[in-house]
PDB file of all heavy atoms in Angstrom:
ATOM      1  N   CYS A   1    -146.071  59.363  20.899  1.00 98.00           N
ATOM      2  CA  CYS A   1    -144.684  59.113  21.303  1.00 98.00           C
ATOM      3  C   CYS A   1    -144.080  58.093  20.349  1.00 98.00           C
ATOM      4  O   CYS A   1    -144.699  57.056  20.073  1.00 98.00           O
ATOM      5  CB  CYS A   1    -144.618  58.616  22.744  1.00 98.00           C
ATOM      6  SG  CYS A   1    -142.940  58.483  23.399  1.00 98.00           S
ATOM      7  N   HIS A   2    -142.867  58.358  19.875  1.00 98.00           N
ATOM      8  CA  HIS A   2    -142.231  57.428  18.960  1.00 98.00           C
ATOM      9  C   HIS A   2    -141.670  56.205  19.677  1.00 98.00           C
ATOM     10  O   HIS A   2    -141.868  55.062  19.259  1.00 98.00           O
ATOM     11  CB  HIS A   2    -141.097  58.120  18.187  1.00 98.00           C
ATOM     12  CG  HIS A   2    -140.349  57.193  17.278  1.00 98.00           C
ATOM     13  ND1 HIS A   2    -139.235  56.480  17.689  1.00 98.00           N
ATOM     14  CD2 HIS A   2    -140.563  56.840  15.986  1.00 98.00           C
ATOM     15  CE1 HIS A   2    -138.794  55.745  16.693  1.00 98.00           C
ATOM     16  NE2 HIS A   2    -139.581  55.934  15.646  1.00 98.00           N
ATOM     17  N   ASP A   3    -140.966  56.421  20.770  1.00 98.00           N
ATOM     18  CA  ASP A   3    -140.233  55.346  21.431  1.00 98.00           C
ATOM     19  C   ASP A   3    -141.126  54.556  22.385  1.00 98.00           C
ATOM     20  O   ASP A   3    -142.027  55.105  23.015  1.00 98.00           O
ATOM     21  CB  ASP A   3    -139.054  55.907  22.227  1.00 98.00           C
ATOM     22  CG  ASP A   3    -138.042  56.630  21.350  1.00 98.00           C
ATOM     23  OD1 ASP A   3    -138.250  56.702  20.114  1.00 98.00           O
ATOM     24  OD2 ASP A   3    -137.036  57.110  21.898  1.00 98.00           O
ATOM     25  N   ALA A   4    -140.796  53.280  22.521  1.00 98.00           N
ATOM     26  CA  ALA A   4    -141.488  52.452  23.503  1.00 98.00           C
ATOM     27  C   ALA A   4    -141.111  52.876  24.923  1.00 98.00           C
ATOM     28  O   ALA A   4    -141.939  52.821  25.837  1.00 98.00           O
ATOM     29  CB  ALA A   4    -141.158  50.981  23.290  1.00 98.00           C
ATOM     30  N   PHE A   5    -139.863  53.320  25.095  1.00 98.00           N
ATOM     31  CA  PHE A   5    -139.393  53.825  26.385  1.00 98.00           C
ATOM     32  C   PHE A   5    -139.343  55.354  26.314  1.00 98.00           C
ATOM     33  O   PHE A   5    -139.000  55.925  25.276  1.00 98.00           O
ATOM     34  CB  PHE A   5    -138.003  53.276  26.706  1.00 98.00           C
ATOM     35  CG  PHE A   5    -138.002  51.809  27.063  1.00 98.00           C
ATOM     36  CD1 PHE A   5    -138.022  50.834  26.071  1.00 98.00           C
ATOM     37  CD2 PHE A   5    -137.998  51.410  28.390  1.00 98.00           C
ATOM     38  CE1 PHE A   5    -138.027  49.481  26.393  1.00 98.00           C
ATOM     39  CE2 PHE A   5    -137.999  50.057  28.732  1.00 98.00           C
ATOM     40  CZ  PHE A   5    -138.017  49.090  27.728  1.00 98.00           C
ATOM     41  N   ILE A   6    -139.644  56.014  27.434  1.00 98.00           N
ATOM     42  CA  ILE A   6    -139.736  57.476  27.417  1.00 98.00           C
ATOM     43  C   ILE A   6    -138.425  58.165  27.771  1.00 98.00           C
ATOM     44  O   ILE A   6    -138.366  59.400  27.791  1.00 98.00           O
ATOM     45  CB  ILE A   6    -140.864  57.959  28.361  1.00 98.00           C
ATOM     46  CG1 ILE A   6    -140.538  57.606  29.830  1.00 98.00           C
ATOM     47  CG2 ILE A   6    -142.201  57.372  27.944  1.00 98.00           C
ATOM     48  CD1 ILE A   6    -141.511  58.222  30.827  1.00 98.00           C
ATOM     49  N   ASP A   7    -137.358  57.417  27.998  1.00 98.00           N
ATOM     50  CA  ASP A   7    -136.092  57.984  28.460  1.00 98.00           C
ATOM     51  C   ASP A   7    -135.538  59.057  27.520  1.00 98.00           C
ATOM     52  O   ASP A   7    -135.107  60.126  27.960  1.00 98.00           O
ATOM     53  CB  ASP A   7    -135.039  56.880  28.632  1.00 98.00           C
ATOM     54  CG  ASP A   7    -135.500  55.773  29.576  1.00 98.00           C
ATOM     55  OD1 ASP A   7    -136.598  55.208  29.353  1.00 98.00           O
ATOM     56  OD2 ASP A   7    -134.759  55.470  30.526  1.00 98.00           O
ATOM     57  N   ARG A   8    -135.527  58.794  26.213  1.00 98.00           N
ATOM     58  CA  ARG A   8    -134.932  59.729  25.251  1.00 98.00           C
ATOM     59  C   ARG A   8    -135.769  60.980  25.052  1.00 98.00           C
ATOM     60  O   ARG A   8    -135.231  62.064  24.809  1.00 98.00           O
ATOM     61  CB  ARG A   8    -134.725  59.033  23.892  1.00 98.00           C
ATOM     62  CG  ARG A   8    -134.094  59.929  22.818  1.00 98.00           C
ATOM     63  CD  ARG A   8    -134.016  59.224  21.466  1.00 98.00           C
ATOM     64  NE  ARG A   8    -135.330  58.993  20.899  1.00 98.00           N
ATOM     65  CZ  ARG A   8    -135.997  59.874  20.160  1.00 98.00           C
ATOM     66  NH1 ARG A   8    -135.471  61.077  19.913  1.00 98.00           N
ATOM     67  NH2 ARG A   8    -137.188  59.584  19.663  1.00 98.00           N
ATOM     68  N   VAL A   9    -137.072  60.841  25.167  1.00 98.00           N
ATOM     69  CA  VAL A   9    -137.971  61.924  24.762  1.00 98.00           C
ATOM     70  C   VAL A   9    -138.573  62.702  25.933  1.00 98.00           C
ATOM     71  O   VAL A   9    -139.398  63.589  25.717  1.00 98.00           O
ATOM     72  CB  VAL A   9    -139.104  61.376  23.864  1.00 98.00           C
ATOM     73  CG1 VAL A   9    -138.537  60.850  22.550  1.00 98.00           C
ATOM     74  CG2 VAL A   9    -139.890  60.282  24.587  1.00 98.00           C
ATOM     75  N   SER A  10    -138.178  62.381  27.143  1.00 98.00           N
ATOM     76  CA  SER A  10    -138.733  63.086  28.300  1.00 98.00           C
ATOM     77  C   SER A  10    -137.723  63.073  29.438  1.00 98.00           C
ATOM     78  O   SER A  10    -136.638  62.501  29.328  1.00 98.00           O
ATOM     79  CB  SER A  10    -140.032  62.412  28.759  1.00 98.00           C
ATOM     80  OG  SER A  10    -139.754  61.234  29.502  1.00 98.00           O
ATOM     81  N   ASN A  11    -138.103  63.673  30.549  1.00 98.00           N
ATOM     82  CA  ASN A  11    -137.261  63.605  31.748  1.00 98.00           C
ATOM     83  C   ASN A  11    -137.693  62.467  32.669  1.00 98.00           C
ATOM     84  O   ASN A  11    -137.310  62.399  33.830  1.00 98.00           O
ATOM     85  CB  ASN A  11    -137.282  64.934  32.510  1.00 98.00           C
ATOM     86  CG  ASN A  11    -138.678  65.331  32.969  1.00 98.00           C
ATOM     87  OD1 ASN A  11    -139.670  64.708  32.583  1.00 98.00           O
ATOM     88  ND2 ASN A  11    -138.765  66.370  33.782  1.00 98.00           N
ATOM     89  N   GLY A  12    -138.486  61.556  32.118  1.00 98.00           N
ATOM     90  CA  GLY A  12    -138.876  60.351  32.833  1.00 98.00           C
ATOM     91  C   GLY A  12    -138.074  59.157  32.334  1.00 98.00           C
ATOM     92  O   GLY A  12    -137.131  59.307  31.557  1.00 98.00           O
ATOM     93  N   ALA A  13    -138.446  57.994  32.779  1.00 98.00           N
ATOM     94  CA  ALA A  13    -137.735  56.777  32.377  1.00 98.00           C
ATOM     95  C   ALA A  13    -138.686  55.595  32.429  1.00 98.00           C
ATOM     96  O   ALA A  13    -139.662  55.587  33.182  1.00 98.00           O
ATOM     97  CB  ALA A  13    -136.534  56.537  33.287  1.00 98.00           C
ATOM     98  N   GLY A  14    -138.393  54.617  31.601  1.00 98.00           N
ATOM     99  CA  GLY A  14    -139.159  53.381  31.638  1.00 98.00           C
ATOM    100  C   GLY A  14    -140.073  53.190  30.439  1.00 98.00           C
ATOM    101  O   GLY A  14    -140.139  54.023  29.531  1.00 98.00           O
ATOM    102  N   LEU A  15    -140.775  52.093  30.444  1.00 98.00           N
ATOM    103  CA  LEU A  15    -141.670  51.712  29.360  1.00 98.00           C
ATOM    104  C   LEU A  15    -142.956  52.525  29.418  1.00 98.00           C
ATOM    105  O   LEU A  15    -143.617  52.573  30.468  1.00 98.00           O
ATOM    106  CB  LEU A  15    -141.976  50.217  29.476  1.00 98.00           C
ATOM    107  CG  LEU A  15    -142.594  49.501  28.282  1.00 98.00           C
ATOM    108  CD1 LEU A  15    -141.659  49.531  27.078  1.00 98.00           C
ATOM    109  CD2 LEU A  15    -142.930  48.064  28.658  1.00 98.00           C
ATOM    110  N   LEU A  16    -143.287  53.161  28.318  1.00 98.00           N
ATOM    111  CA  LEU A  16    -144.481  54.019  28.289  1.00 98.00           C
ATOM    112  C   LEU A  16    -145.729  53.248  28.695  1.00 98.00           C
ATOM    113  O   LEU A  16    -146.576  53.768  29.431  1.00 98.00           O
ATOM    114  CB  LEU A  16    -144.644  54.608  26.887  1.00 98.00           C
ATOM    115  CG  LEU A  16    -145.801  55.595  26.681  1.00 98.00           C
ATOM    116  CD1 LEU A  16    -145.442  56.635  25.631  1.00 98.00           C
ATOM    117  CD2 LEU A  16    -147.092  54.890  26.261  1.00 98.00           C
ATOM    118  N   SER A  17    -145.854  52.029  28.226  1.00 98.00           N
ATOM    119  CA  SER A  17    -147.073  51.250  28.485  1.00 98.00           C
ATOM    120  C   SER A  17    -147.233  50.849  29.944  1.00 98.00           C
ATOM    121  O   SER A  17    -148.282  50.333  30.336  1.00 98.00           O
ATOM    122  CB  SER A  17    -147.090  50.002  27.598  1.00 98.00           C
ATOM    123  OG  SER A  17    -145.954  49.194  27.848  1.00 98.00           O
ATOM    124  N   ASN A  18    -146.214  51.107  30.755  1.00 98.00           N
ATOM    125  CA  ASN A  18    -146.325  50.832  32.196  1.00 98.00           C
ATOM    126  C   ASN A  18    -146.906  52.012  32.967  1.00 98.00           C
ATOM    127  O   ASN A  18    -147.140  51.911  34.172  1.00 98.00           O
ATOM    128  CB  ASN A  18    -144.957  50.479  32.784  1.00 98.00           C
ATOM    129  CG  ASN A  18    -144.515  49.074  32.405  1.00 98.00           C
ATOM    130  OD1 ASN A  18    -145.327  48.234  32.033  1.00 98.00           O
ATOM    131  ND2 ASN A  18    -143.214  48.817  32.493  1.00 98.00           N
ATOM    132  N   TYR A  19    -147.114  53.142  32.279  1.00 98.00           N
ATOM    133  CA  TYR A  19    -147.636  54.356  32.905  1.00 98.00           C
ATOM    134  C   TYR A  19    -149.083  54.601  32.503  1.00 98.00           C
ATOM    135  O   TYR A  19    -149.483  54.331  31.361  1.00 98.00           O
ATOM    136  CB  TYR A  19    -146.827  55.575  32.483  1.00 98.00           C
ATOM    137  CG  TYR A  19    -145.439  55.666  33.061  1.00 98.00           C
ATOM    138  CD1 TYR A  19    -144.330  55.251  32.327  1.00 98.00           C
ATOM    139  CD2 TYR A  19    -145.218  56.191  34.330  1.00 98.00           C
ATOM    140  CE1 TYR A  19    -143.046  55.356  32.837  1.00 98.00           C
ATOM    141  CE2 TYR A  19    -143.940  56.302  34.858  1.00 98.00           C
ATOM    142  CZ  TYR A  19    -142.856  55.875  34.095  1.00 98.00           C
ATOM    143  OH  TYR A  19    -141.588  55.975  34.610  1.00 98.00           O
ATOM    144  N   THR A  20    -149.862  55.164  33.411  1.00 98.00           N
ATOM    145  CA  THR A  20    -151.167  55.707  33.036  1.00 98.00           C
ATOM    146  C   THR A  20    -150.934  57.084  32.400  1.00 98.00           C
ATOM    147  O   THR A  20    -149.852  57.662  32.518  1.00 98.00           O
ATOM    148  CB  THR A  20    -152.081  55.873  34.264  1.00 98.00           C
ATOM    149  OG1 THR A  20    -151.520  56.883  35.125  1.00 98.00           O
ATOM    150  CG2 THR A  20    -152.234  54.567  35.014  1.00 98.00           C
ATOM    151  N   TYR A  21    -151.983  57.587  31.756  1.00 98.00           N
ATOM    152  CA  TYR A  21    -151.848  58.911  31.133  1.00 98.00           C
ATOM    153  C   TYR A  21    -151.548  59.982  32.178  1.00 98.00           C
ATOM    154  O   TYR A  21    -150.666  60.825  31.982  1.00 98.00           O
ATOM    155  CB  TYR A  21    -153.124  59.248  30.369  1.00 98.00           C
ATOM    156  CG  TYR A  21    -153.150  60.654  29.834  1.00 98.00           C
ATOM    157  CD1 TYR A  21    -152.200  61.084  28.913  1.00 98.00           C
ATOM    158  CD2 TYR A  21    -154.116  61.569  30.281  1.00 98.00           C
ATOM    159  CE1 TYR A  21    -152.215  62.388  28.431  1.00 98.00           C
ATOM    160  CE2 TYR A  21    -154.131  62.867  29.803  1.00 98.00           C
ATOM    161  CZ  TYR A  21    -153.176  63.266  28.874  1.00 98.00           C
ATOM    162  OH  TYR A  21    -153.182  64.553  28.415  1.00 98.00           O
ATOM    163  N   ASN A  22    -152.234  59.954  33.297  1.00 98.00           N
ATOM    164  CA  ASN A  22    -151.997  60.958  34.339  1.00 98.00           C
ATOM    165  C   ASN A  22    -150.585  60.874  34.899  1.00 98.00           C
ATOM    166  O   ASN A  22    -149.987  61.898  35.260  1.00 98.00           O
ATOM    167  CB  ASN A  22    -153.024  60.800  35.466  1.00 98.00           C
ATOM    168  CG  ASN A  22    -154.378  61.385  35.098  1.00 98.00           C
ATOM    169  OD1 ASN A  22    -154.467  62.271  34.256  1.00 98.00           O
ATOM    170  ND2 ASN A  22    -155.429  60.885  35.724  1.00 98.00           N
ATOM    171  N   GLU A  23    -150.040  59.685  34.974  1.00 98.00           N
ATOM    172  CA  GLU A  23    -148.657  59.530  35.432  1.00 98.00           C
ATOM    173  C   GLU A  23    -147.682  60.127  34.424  1.00 98.00           C
ATOM    174  O   GLU A  23    -146.686  60.761  34.795  1.00 98.00           O
ATOM    175  CB  GLU A  23    -148.342  58.056  35.673  1.00 98.00           C
ATOM    176  CG  GLU A  23    -149.038  57.487  36.906  1.00 98.00           C
ATOM    177  CD  GLU A  23    -148.912  55.980  37.024  1.00 98.00           C
ATOM    178  OE1 GLU A  23    -148.636  55.315  35.992  1.00 98.00           O
ATOM    179  OE2 GLU A  23    -149.103  55.464  38.135  1.00 98.00           O
ATOM    180  N   LEU A  24    -147.960  59.969  33.138  1.00 98.00           N
ATOM    181  CA  LEU A  24    -147.093  60.529  32.096  1.00 98.00           C
ATOM    182  C   LEU A  24    -147.120  62.055  32.105  1.00 98.00           C
ATOM    183  O   LEU A  24    -146.134  62.694  31.708  1.00 98.00           O
ATOM    184  CB  LEU A  24    -147.516  60.004  30.717  1.00 98.00           C
ATOM    185  CG  LEU A  24    -147.198  58.539  30.429  1.00 98.00           C
ATOM    186  CD1 LEU A  24    -147.885  58.086  29.147  1.00 98.00           C
ATOM    187  CD2 LEU A  24    -145.692  58.319  30.320  1.00 98.00           C
ATOM    188  N   LEU A  25    -148.218  62.638  32.555  1.00 98.00           N
ATOM    189  CA  LEU A  25    -148.335  64.091  32.597  1.00 98.00           C
ATOM    190  C   LEU A  25    -147.361  64.732  33.591  1.00 98.00           C
ATOM    191  O   LEU A  25    -147.129  65.939  33.542  1.00 98.00           O
ATOM    192  CB  LEU A  25    -149.760  64.505  32.950  1.00 98.00           C
ATOM    193  CG  LEU A  25    -150.824  64.274  31.872  1.00 98.00           C
ATOM    194  CD1 LEU A  25    -152.192  64.674  32.388  1.00 98.00           C
ATOM    195  CD2 LEU A  25    -150.483  65.023  30.592  1.00 98.00           C
ATOM    196  N   LYS A  26    -146.763  63.944  34.441  1.00 98.00           N
ATOM    197  CA  LYS A  26    -145.791  64.462  35.399  1.00 98.00           C
ATOM    198  C   LYS A  26    -144.451  64.778  34.740  1.00 98.00           C
ATOM    199  O   LYS A  26    -143.631  65.492  35.301  1.00 98.00           O
ATOM    200  CB  LYS A  26    -145.574  63.442  36.525  1.00 98.00           C
ATOM    201  CG  LYS A  26    -146.822  63.123  37.325  1.00 98.00           C
ATOM    202  CD  LYS A  26    -146.548  62.010  38.332  1.00 98.00           C
ATOM    203  CE  LYS A  26    -147.813  61.610  39.074  1.00 98.00           C
ATOM    204  NZ  LYS A  26    -147.558  60.455  39.998  1.00 98.00           N
ATOM    205  N   PHE A  27    -144.236  64.243  33.529  1.00 98.00           N
ATOM    206  CA  PHE A  27    -142.949  64.389  32.867  1.00 98.00           C
ATOM    207  C   PHE A  27    -142.985  65.483  31.799  1.00 98.00           C
ATOM    208  O   PHE A  27    -144.035  65.796  31.236  1.00 98.00           O
ATOM    209  CB  PHE A  27    -142.530  63.068  32.225  1.00 98.00           C
ATOM    210  CG  PHE A  27    -142.486  61.910  33.180  1.00 98.00           C
ATOM    211  CD1 PHE A  27    -143.245  60.774  32.957  1.00 98.00           C
ATOM    212  CD2 PHE A  27    -141.684  61.966  34.315  1.00 98.00           C
ATOM    213  CE1 PHE A  27    -143.210  59.707  33.835  1.00 98.00           C
ATOM    214  CE2 PHE A  27    -141.640  60.905  35.206  1.00 98.00           C
ATOM    215  CZ  PHE A  27    -142.405  59.770  34.974  1.00 98.00           C
ATOM    216  N   ASN A  28    -141.813  66.036  31.508  1.00 98.00           N
ATOM    217  CA  ASN A  28    -141.665  67.046  30.459  1.00 98.00           C
ATOM    218  C   ASN A  28    -141.190  66.362  29.183  1.00 98.00           C
ATOM    219  O   ASN A  28    -140.091  65.804  29.131  1.00 98.00           O
ATOM    220  CB  ASN A  28    -140.654  68.106  30.896  1.00 98.00           C
ATOM    221  CG  ASN A  28    -140.472  69.199  29.864  1.00 98.00           C
ATOM    222  OD1 ASN A  28    -141.264  69.325  28.929  1.00 98.00           O
ATOM    223  ND2 ASN A  28    -139.426  70.006  30.021  1.00 98.00           N
ATOM    224  N   PHE A  29    -142.017  66.421  28.154  1.00 98.00           N
ATOM    225  CA  PHE A  29    -141.665  65.845  26.859  1.00 98.00           C
ATOM    226  C   PHE A  29    -141.125  66.911  25.907  1.00 98.00           C
ATOM    227  O   PHE A  29    -140.892  66.637  24.739  1.00 98.00           O
ATOM    228  CB  PHE A  29    -142.872  65.125  26.250  1.00 98.00           C
ATOM    229  CG  PHE A  29    -143.122  63.768  26.850  1.00 98.00           C
ATOM    230  CD1 PHE A  29    -143.718  63.645  28.103  1.00 98.00           C
ATOM    231  CD2 PHE A  29    -142.737  62.616  26.187  1.00 98.00           C
ATOM    232  CE1 PHE A  29    -143.931  62.405  28.678  1.00 98.00           C
ATOM    233  CE2 PHE A  29    -142.945  61.364  26.744  1.00 98.00           C
ATOM    234  CZ  PHE A  29    -143.546  61.256  27.996  1.00 98.00           C
ATOM    235  N   GLY A  30    -140.946  68.114  26.419  1.00 98.00           N
ATOM    236  CA  GLY A  30    -140.344  69.188  25.641  1.00 98.00           C
ATOM    237  C   GLY A  30    -138.953  69.493  26.154  1.00 98.00           C
ATOM    238  O   GLY A  30    -138.219  68.594  26.586  1.00 98.00           O
ATOM    239  N   SER A  31    -138.588  70.746  26.130  1.00 98.00           N
ATOM    240  CA  SER A  31    -137.282  71.193  26.616  1.00 98.00           C
ATOM    241  C   SER A  31    -137.489  72.070  27.848  1.00 98.00           C
ATOM    242  O   SER A  31    -138.631  72.394  28.218  1.00 98.00           O
ATOM    243  CB  SER A  31    -136.560  71.989  25.534  1.00 98.00           C
ATOM    244  OG  SER A  31    -137.293  73.171  25.225  1.00 98.00           O
ATOM    245  N   LYS A  32    -136.400  72.488  28.441  1.00 98.00           N
ATOM    246  CA  LYS A  32    -136.494  73.414  29.575  1.00 98.00           C
ATOM    247  C   LYS A  32    -137.078  74.741  29.105  1.00 98.00           C
ATOM    248  O   LYS A  32    -137.885  75.371  29.802  1.00 98.00           O
ATOM    249  CB  LYS A  32    -135.110  73.636  30.178  1.00 98.00           C
ATOM    250  CG  LYS A  32    -135.085  74.579  31.365  1.00 98.00           C
ATOM    251  CD  LYS A  32    -133.681  74.754  31.910  1.00 98.00           C
ATOM    252  CE  LYS A  32    -133.661  75.738  33.070  1.00 98.00           C
ATOM    253  NZ  LYS A  32    -132.262  75.936  33.604  1.00 98.00           N
TER     254      LYS A  32
END
């Protein structure tokens, strides 16, 4: 992931380092 925050690159929000890997898997980092 390029950004420190996942807002721009996914449908999630917040600081990437505040999430576990399994929590990040809940978000879409691609397109619809």
Side-chain angles (χ1 to χ4, degrees):
C1 187
H2 177 270
D3 299 0
F5 288 82
I6 65 172
D7 304 54
R8 180 185 67 86
V9 295
S10 78
N11 60 351
L15 195 63
L16 183 148
S17 59
N18 285 340
Y19 289 98
T20 66
Y21 173 61
N22 282 335
E23 289 171 340
L24 288 170
L25 289 177
K26 299 175 184 176
F27 304 122
N28 181 14
F29 282 77
S31 63
K32 180 180 178 181

